[in-house]
Amino acid sequence: MLQFRIGNGYDIHCLASGRPLILGGIFIDHELGLLGHSDADVLTHAIMDAMLGALSLGDIGHYFPPTDDRWKGANSLKLLEQVNHLIQDRGWQINNIDSVIVAERPKLKPHIGAMRDRLSSTLNLDPNQMGVKATTNEKLGPEGREEGISAYAVVLLSATV
Ligand code: MG
């Protein structure tokens, strides 16, 4: 019998000068970057939380705590690979993912394709299983004031049991 599980994830990181901006594993040239213990890839973090949430496995803070120096400056794609192994070990696979980044600047449209390719190849998915979208916040709220960038993700997992 084919079974499905759905998960959702959300994350936000502060913008600061002197930090790289990495979204979906792609370095984006910008005068501000995201603050965080790891590389602060807010999109990849939201996707991981959606994958873990689908199986009620908690959140990434549980698996990669910011108090642990092993994850300092960590490449979030490496953590994403580990989360994928976690769900595969339990017999589940990703059906599809959809996500949205909320950022006032920079323009993300030119980078969406590269993010899709990087994330889908990291997860061994076809790019058409990996939705990445971006929107501004119409200058409203922390994202609109360029204090931070947030991301939302949903994932559908399937398993044959
Ligand atoms: Mg995070």
Side-chain angles (χ1 to χ4, degrees):
M1 195 175 87
L2 191 59
Q3 292 218 339
F4 294 100
R5 297 292 291 264
I6 192 168
N8 90 98
Y10 165 79
D11 197 17
I12 187 166
H13 281 259
C14 289
L15 281 163
S17 55
R19 288 278 299 181
L21 178 58
I22 297 167
L23 293 170
I26 300 297
F27 172 78
I28 295 164
D29 194 26
H30 189 49
E31 73 263 28
L32 300 173
L34 293 174
L35 271 181
H37 185 69
S38 67
D39 63 5
D41 184 340
V42 68
L43 173 59
T44 302
H45 292 183
I47 290 168
M48 287 192 276
D49 264 358
M51 292 165 69
L52 292 169
L55 297 183
S56 305
L57 291 173
D59 59 38
I60 54 171
H62 174 74
Y63 295 91
F64 313 110
T67 48
D68 190 331
D69 268 357
R70 270 183 303 169
W71 317 120
K72 192 168 163 58
N75 175 349
S76 292
L77 294 181
K78 294 286 169 208
L79 311 185
L80 181 64
E81 272 176 3
Q82 290 187 46
V83 169
N84 202 25
H85 288 142
L86 214 77
I87 66 161
Q88 286 173 340
D89 288 348
R90 287 165 172 76
W92 293 85
Q93 60 176 21
I94 296 167
N95 219 76
N96 74 301
I97 296 173
D98 190 25
S99 64
V100 57
I101 306 163
V102 185
E104 207 62 34
R105 281 192 319 129
K107 280 261 168 286
L108 295 178
K109 200 174 174 190
H111 308 286
I112 294 288
M115 289 185 223
R116 270 182 86 200
D117 289 349
R118 185 68 55 85
L119 290 165
S120 58
S121 69
T122 301
L123 292 167
N124 297 311
L125 298 174
D126 190 282
N128 74 24
Q129 293 170 283
M130 181 69 240
V132 179
K133 309 184 298 299
T135 184
T136 72
N137 221 28
E138 297 288 342
K139 297 195 160 53
L140 295 167
E143 297 96 330
R145 292 190 296 267
E146 297 183 47
E147 295 166 1
I149 291 178
S150 65
Y152 299 81
V154 290
V155 58
L156 188 69
L157 304 183
S158 60
T160 307
V161 291

Short mmCIF file of all heavy atoms in Angstrom, two decimals, residues 10-13 35-38 40-46 48-49 60 76, ligand 1:
data_model
loop_
_atom_site.label_atom_id
_atom_site.label_comp_id
_atom_site.label_asym_id
_atom_site.label_seq_id
_atom_site.Cartn_x
_atom_site.Cartn_y
_atom_site.Cartn_z
N TYR A 10 9.74 26.19 8.14
CA TYR A 10 9.89 27.65 8.07
C TYR A 10 11.21 28.01 8.74
O TYR A 10 11.61 27.38 9.72
CB TYR A 10 8.74 28.34 8.82
CG TYR A 10 9.01 29.80 9.12
CD1 TYR A 10 8.84 30.76 8.12
CD2 TYR A 10 9.46 30.21 10.37
CE1 TYR A 10 9.12 32.09 8.37
CE2 TYR A 10 9.74 31.55 10.63
CZ TYR A 10 9.56 32.49 9.63
OH TYR A 10 9.85 33.80 9.88
N ASP A 11 11.87 29.03 8.21
CA ASP A 11 13.08 29.54 8.88
C ASP A 11 13.27 31.00 8.50
O ASP A 11 12.78 31.47 7.46
CB ASP A 11 14.31 28.72 8.46
CG ASP A 11 15.48 28.92 9.42
OD1 ASP A 11 15.28 29.41 10.55
OD2 ASP A 11 16.62 28.58 9.02
N ILE A 12 13.96 31.72 9.37
CA ILE A 12 14.33 33.11 9.09
C ILE A 12 15.72 33.36 9.67
O ILE A 12 16.05 32.80 10.72
CB ILE A 12 13.28 34.11 9.66
CG1 ILE A 12 13.57 35.55 9.22
CG2 ILE A 12 13.17 34.00 11.18
CD1 ILE A 12 12.41 36.53 9.45
N HIS A 13 16.54 34.11 8.96
CA HIS A 13 17.86 34.52 9.46
C HIS A 13 18.03 36.01 9.25
O HIS A 13 17.48 36.58 8.29
CB HIS A 13 18.98 33.76 8.74
CG HIS A 13 19.18 32.36 9.23
ND1 HIS A 13 20.19 32.01 10.10
CD2 HIS A 13 18.47 31.24 9.00
CE1 HIS A 13 20.11 30.72 10.37
NE2 HIS A 13 19.08 30.22 9.71
N LEU A 35 23.19 35.78 8.85
CA LEU A 35 23.88 35.43 10.10
C LEU A 35 23.41 34.05 10.56
O LEU A 35 22.22 33.75 10.51
CB LEU A 35 23.51 36.43 11.20
CG LEU A 35 24.34 37.68 11.38
CD1 LEU A 35 23.77 38.49 12.53
CD2 LEU A 35 25.80 37.35 11.63
N GLY A 36 24.36 33.26 11.06
CA GLY A 36 23.98 31.96 11.60
C GLY A 36 25.20 31.16 11.98
O GLY A 36 26.32 31.51 11.61
N HIS A 37 24.97 30.10 12.73
CA HIS A 37 26.06 29.23 13.18
C HIS A 37 26.63 28.45 11.99
O HIS A 37 27.84 28.32 11.85
CB HIS A 37 25.52 28.28 14.25
CG HIS A 37 26.57 27.43 14.86
ND1 HIS A 37 27.55 27.93 15.68
CD2 HIS A 37 26.81 26.10 14.77
CE1 HIS A 37 28.34 26.94 16.07
NE2 HIS A 37 27.92 25.83 15.53
N SER A 38 25.73 27.95 11.15
CA SER A 38 26.15 27.25 9.93
C SER A 38 26.32 28.30 8.84
O SER A 38 26.52 29.48 9.12
CB SER A 38 25.08 26.22 9.53
OG SER A 38 23.90 26.90 9.12
N ALA A 40 24.00 29.41 7.27
CA ALA A 40 22.75 30.19 7.39
C ALA A 40 21.89 30.14 6.12
O ALA A 40 21.18 31.10 5.82
CB ALA A 40 23.04 31.63 7.81
N ASP A 41 21.97 29.02 5.41
CA ASP A 41 21.18 28.84 4.18
C ASP A 41 19.72 28.59 4.57
O ASP A 41 19.28 27.45 4.78
CB ASP A 41 21.75 27.66 3.38
CG ASP A 41 21.06 27.45 2.05
OD1 ASP A 41 19.93 27.93 1.87
OD2 ASP A 41 21.67 26.77 1.20
N VAL A 42 18.98 29.67 4.66
CA VAL A 42 17.63 29.65 5.24
C VAL A 42 16.68 28.76 4.42
O VAL A 42 15.80 28.09 4.99
CB VAL A 42 17.12 31.11 5.38
CG1 VAL A 42 16.90 31.77 4.03
CG2 VAL A 42 15.88 31.22 6.23
N LEU A 43 16.85 28.72 3.10
CA LEU A 43 15.99 27.89 2.26
C LEU A 43 16.24 26.40 2.55
O LEU A 43 15.29 25.63 2.74
CB LEU A 43 16.24 28.19 0.78
CG LEU A 43 15.53 27.28 -0.23
CD1 LEU A 43 14.02 27.32 -0.05
CD2 LEU A 43 15.92 27.64 -1.66
N THR A 44 17.51 26.02 2.57
CA THR A 44 17.83 24.62 2.83
C THR A 44 17.37 24.21 4.24
O THR A 44 16.91 23.09 4.44
CB THR A 44 19.34 24.40 2.64
OG1 THR A 44 19.68 24.78 1.31
CG2 THR A 44 19.74 22.95 2.85
N HIS A 45 17.45 25.14 5.20
CA HIS A 45 16.99 24.84 6.56
C HIS A 45 15.48 24.58 6.58
O HIS A 45 15.01 23.65 7.24
CB HIS A 45 17.34 25.98 7.52
CG HIS A 45 18.81 26.13 7.75
ND1 HIS A 45 19.34 27.05 8.62
CD2 HIS A 45 19.86 25.47 7.20
CE1 HIS A 45 20.66 26.95 8.61
NE2 HIS A 45 21.00 26.01 7.74
N ALA A 46 14.71 25.40 5.87
CA ALA A 46 13.26 25.21 5.83
C ALA A 46 12.91 23.86 5.19
O ALA A 46 12.00 23.15 5.65
CB ALA A 46 12.59 26.36 5.06
N MET A 48 14.81 21.13 5.17
CA MET A 48 15.15 20.05 6.11
C MET A 48 14.08 19.92 7.18
O MET A 48 13.70 18.80 7.56
CB MET A 48 16.51 20.32 6.75
CG MET A 48 17.67 20.10 5.83
SD MET A 48 19.24 20.09 6.71
CE MET A 48 19.59 21.83 6.80
N ASP A 49 13.59 21.04 7.70
CA ASP A 49 12.55 20.98 8.73
C ASP A 49 11.26 20.38 8.18
O ASP A 49 10.55 19.67 8.90
CB ASP A 49 12.28 22.37 9.31
CG ASP A 49 13.07 22.62 10.59
OD1 ASP A 49 13.80 21.70 11.04
OD2 ASP A 49 12.97 23.72 11.15
N ILE A 60 15.71 20.57 12.81
CA ILE A 60 17.16 20.49 12.57
C ILE A 60 17.96 20.90 13.80
O ILE A 60 19.08 20.45 13.97
CB ILE A 60 17.60 21.30 11.33
CG1 ILE A 60 17.14 22.76 11.41
CG2 ILE A 60 17.12 20.66 10.07
CD1 ILE A 60 17.74 23.63 10.31
N SER A 76 25.16 23.68 4.48
CA SER A 76 23.83 23.14 4.77
C SER A 76 23.44 22.01 3.81
O SER A 76 22.60 21.18 4.15
CB SER A 76 22.78 24.26 4.74
OG SER A 76 23.00 25.13 5.83
MG MG B 1 18.22 28.24 10.18
#
